[in-house]
């Protein structure tokens, strides 16, 4: 009886969520299409691999200078501001934060070029709908919804924002901002995850590992509970554990779990790994 095991409406809602996730990650400019992340500090001359134009840091963002022959478009129009071009200047200055699925400000053919900023460094990401990872995608292996993985937790904010250094998937160590602790009980034992807090929504974000990591699940996952209520109570639904972006493309810089965020029990719930992926490759 599926309703007895999964909880009827909750199971249907989870199915809808899972289908939306598959659609999102496999979209033309979803995470599977990321083919490169270039940090400008690594290219002081401003020339990025396989990306035309000149890309340089400015006080407020990234200046992009290109000739018409480079084939870069800005909001659908050819960018032509190199030396000697009519109306040439120091370059079009872009800030960070534009999502690749939105109408691309900068493109090179089908590829979208997106500026990002992390830990004070500027970079450029390349999203290509013809990426091999997108072509090879078979789906996300996920455990169907179970009521026993919907837990009640308590959020306790820190007195002040904390930053811990953690390794990232690209091999670099970076600061991870943390706003508090999320405590919950599983199998009669209390457990705690350190979490970040979204400044706009109040929602929580945890990077966690568990006993399935690297075997039947990706080596770590994300959990994004909604904002806690006034008393700090929050639903901890491991059915909606997420694969991190770096599970879909090697060029994401996902943080590893901070100290204390590897749970000592198997979380047999939520997204587990890409279909067809071998556990030892995680």
């Amino acid at each position: 009886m599926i309703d007895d095991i999964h909880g009827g409406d909750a199971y249907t809602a989870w199915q809808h969520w899972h289908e939306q996730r598959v659609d999102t990650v496999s979209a033309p400019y979803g995470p599977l299409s990321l083919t490169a992340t270039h940090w400008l500090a690594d290219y002081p001359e401003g020339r990025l691999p396989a990306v035309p134009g000149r890309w340089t840091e400015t006080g407020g963002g990234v200046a992009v200078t290109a000739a018409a022959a480079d084939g870069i478009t800005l909001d659908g129009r050819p960018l032509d501001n190199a030396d000697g071009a009519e109306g040439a200047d120091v370059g079009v200055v872009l800030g960070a934060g534009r999502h690749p699925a939105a109408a691309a400000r900068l493109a090179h053919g089908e590829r979208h070029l997106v500026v990002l900023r992390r830990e004070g460094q500027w970079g450029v990401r390349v999203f290509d709908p013809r990426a091999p990872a997108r072509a090879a995608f078979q789906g996300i292996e996920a455990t169907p919804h179970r009521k026993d993985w919907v837990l009640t937790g308590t959020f306790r904010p820190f007195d002040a924002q904390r930053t811990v250094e953690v390794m990232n998937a690209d091999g670099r160590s970076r600061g991870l901002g943390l706003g508090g602790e999320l405590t919950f009980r599983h199998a009669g034992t209390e457990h705690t995850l350190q979490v970040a807090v979204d400044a706009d929504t109040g929602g929580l974000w945890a990077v966690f590992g568990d006993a399935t990591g690297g075997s039947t699940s990706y080596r770590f996952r994300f959990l994004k509970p909604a904002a806690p209520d006034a008393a700090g109570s929050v639903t901890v639904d491991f059915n909606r554990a997420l694969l991190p972006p770096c599970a879909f493309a090697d060029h994401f810089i996902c943080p590893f779990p901070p100290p204390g965020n590897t749970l000592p029990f198997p979380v047999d719930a939520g997204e587990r790994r890409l279909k067809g992926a071998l556990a030892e490759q995680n």
Side-chain angles (χ1 to χ4, degrees):
M1 296 288 291
I2 197 168
D3 285 2
D4 292 339
I5 298 173
H6 302 294
D9 291 343
Y11 179 73
T12 301
W14 179 88
Q15 281 187 308
H16 181 64
W17 170 83
H18 176 62
E19 290 166 359
Q20 284 189 318
R21 275 283 293 169
V22 172
D23 289 344
T24 298
V25 302
S26 61
Y29 297 98
L32 287 163
S33 70
L34 181 66
T35 57
T37 296
H38 302 302
W39 298 105
L40 299 193
D42 295 334
Y43 304 96
E45 75 289 351
R47 303 296 181 180
L48 307 182
V51 178
R54 186 167 181 266
W55 303 73
T56 55
E57 296 183 26
T58 69
V62 175
V64 186
T65 305
D70 289 324
I72 292 180
T73 58
L74 174 64
D75 289 333
R77 297 181 179 181
L79 180 61
D80 188 11
N81 63 350
D83 291 343
E86 183 178 352
D89 54 23
V90 296
V92 173
V93 178
L94 299 175
R98 293 192 62 89
H99 193 281
R105 289 199 64 192
L106 276 177
H108 181 242
E110 291 186 319
R111 300 189 302 168
H112 286 187
L113 310 174
V114 180
V115 170
L116 77 153
R117 184 174 175 81
R118 292 287 174 85
E119 294 296 312
Q121 294 193 18
W122 290 96
V124 177
R125 280 181 168 158
V126 182
F127 290 84
D128 187 346
R130 298 187 181 184
R134 182 168 180 256
F137 181 64
Q138 300 176 36
I140 299 173
E141 186 177 311
T143 302
H145 184 278
R146 294 191 64 93
K147 292 187 293 184
D148 54 346
W149 280 113
V150 182
L151 311 174
T152 298
T154 301
F155 172 67
R156 298 183 180 89
F158 295 141
D159 293 336
Q161 178 82 357
R162 300 179 186 177
T163 300
V164 296
E165 287 289 317
V166 297
M167 190 60 67
N168 282 236
D170 65 348
R172 298 188 184 187
S173 179
R174 295 182 177 85
L176 176 65
L178 298 169
E181 293 183 337
L182 177 61
T183 302
F184 60 92
R185 297 187 71 83
H186 171 72
T189 302
E190 186 173 272
H191 301 277
T192 299
L193 294 173
Q194 297 184 80
V195 297
V197 182
D198 188 293
D200 296 324
T201 67
L204 309 180
W205 172 54
V207 186
F208 77 95
D210 72 281
T212 70
S215 57
T216 59
S217 296
Y218 191 72
R219 53 188 171 177
F220 63 93
R221 290 178 280 173
F222 290 174
L223 188 67
K224 296 184 177 181
D229 65 17
S233 180
V234 59
T235 298
V236 183
D237 188 355
F238 281 104
N239 291 290
R240 301 203 180 194
L242 299 162
L243 290 177
C246 53
F248 302 103
D250 293 336
H251 302 283
F252 284 105
I253 53 175
C254 309
F256 290 175
N261 271 32
T262 297
L263 300 171
F265 55 87
V267 178
D268 298 316
E271 296 182 350
R272 305 291 290 275
R273 57 185 178 181
L274 297 185
K275 286 185 176 179
L278 295 177
E280 56 266 29
Q281 293 180 335
N282 288 337

